[in-house]
Amino acid sequence: MAVLAESGSNPDVDLLYDINGLAKDAPHGFDRVMEFVGEYGLLLAMVLLILWCWWTVRRRGAEDAASSVAALVWAPLAAGLAVLVNVPIRGFVERPRPFVDHQGLEVLVSGKNDFSFVSDHATLTMAMGVGLFVAHRRFGLAGIGLALLEGFCRVYMGVHYPTDVVGGFALGTAVVLLLSPLAAALLTPLMRAVERSPRVGWIVRRRPADADRRGTLLPSSRTPLETEERDLAA
């Protein structure tokens, strides 16, 4: 339907050729690495970063742990929701992949026959990166950096225009931020309930070792002072 870039005079196409041209000059082994990183590696790295952030928040055990974990849960949920929102967008725009309309591109991934706008990979990674930023600023900056690298890789691989990537960044960010208040209102009470659970509370906050010992102290193992105080009280 809509075609966002049709000629080499368009800056979008010029930038596509400039970035993808790097793949032609790079060694074959480097292109294979970029293919894996752009297709799978950065998504895996983003998931591991979220898990690392969760482990850090859980170990810290702050009073706001429930709200932080709720924000972390929202990050992948928002990413999945953003990809679902992208389905009708891609069907409406119907923009072909760059290599369909433009010759001479170095395409590193075969079998991409669906539409190009907007990029699912860019949408997923930026949604998770922004979701991380809501939960934890330092981890969020690292996540946004990974998302920007993902966008570069998709153009480098010859499977997306730069504007496909920018559109994915915008879509992922919008879904996270616009629905974040609603997500916090629903997920934070749930995480607080999980935190109070004796069985799965560790998911939200680590219990101190001394608290665990106190919780498992048997009546027969009271200290003499505790026994004397109980006798006096009687």
Side-chain angles (χ1 to χ4, degrees):
M1 198 174 161
V3 179
L4 304 182
E6 284 292 347
S7 68
S9 62
N10 190 303
D12 193 26
V13 178
D14 291 340
L15 189 56
L16 165 67
Y17 276 104
D18 288 341
I19 296 176
N20 180 254
L22 299 174
K24 292 184 177 181
D25 300 329
H28 178 75
F30 182 79
D31 283 348
R32 297 285 73 81
V33 171
M34 289 293 285
E35 175 187 347
F36 174 80
V37 169
E39 193 73 5
Y40 308 107
L42 288 170
L43 288 173
L44 177 60
M46 189 69 76
V47 172
L48 294 176
L49 188 64
I50 291 175
L51 291 175
W52 185 11
C53 184
W54 164 75
W55 185 257
T56 301
V57 169
R58 172 189 169 273
R59 289 189 63 191
R60 188 179 62 187
E63 293 298 325
D64 62 344
S67 59
S68 296
V69 173
L72 287 173
V73 172
W74 170 234
L77 291 178
L81 180 60
V83 170
L84 290 178
V85 172
N86 188 29
V87 172
I89 294 176
R90 297 182 86 159
F92 176 76
V93 177
E94 293 184 350
R95 186 186 200 184
R97 295 278 181 173
F99 51 79
V100 174
D101 294 328
H102 304 284
Q103 302 299 316
L105 293 174
E106 186 76 10
V107 183
L108 303 185
V109 181
S110 60
K112 299 289 184 181
N113 299 319
D114 54 346
F115 295 121
S116 183
F117 186 87
V118 297
S119 167
D120 280 340
H121 282 72
T123 302
L124 281 168
T125 52
M126 186 56 76
M128 287 189 282
V130 174
L132 260 177
F133 187 79
V134 172
H136 195 288
R137 297 293 184 267
R138 184 184 49 174
F139 281 95
L141 289 175
I144 291 172
L146 289 178
L148 294 174
L149 181 58
E150 178 68 73
F152 175 84
C153 288
R154 302 308 287 176
V155 181
Y156 180 95
M157 293 160 62
V159 294
H160 281 293
Y161 294 97
T163 48
D164 297 337
V165 170
V166 173
F169 290 164
L171 176 60
T173 301
V175 170
V176 172
L177 296 183
L178 290 177
L179 297 180
S180 184
L182 177 60
L186 295 175
L187 293 174
T188 301
L190 177 61
M191 291 302 104
R192 285 176 181 156
V194 170
E195 184 180 10
R196 292 191 297 268
S197 171
R199 292 181 176 272
V200 294
W202 59 269
I203 293 176
V204 176
R205 191 181 347 180
R206 184 185 64 174
R207 292 189 176 91
D210 58 343
D212 290 343
R213 285 195 296 268
R214 286 196 299 269
T216 58
L217 192 62
L218 297 175
S220 60
S221 49
R222 292 192 183 94
T223 64
L225 180 59
E226 290 174 327
T227 304
E228 182 179 351
E229 289 175 349
R230 177 177 292 273
D231 292 339
L232 290 175

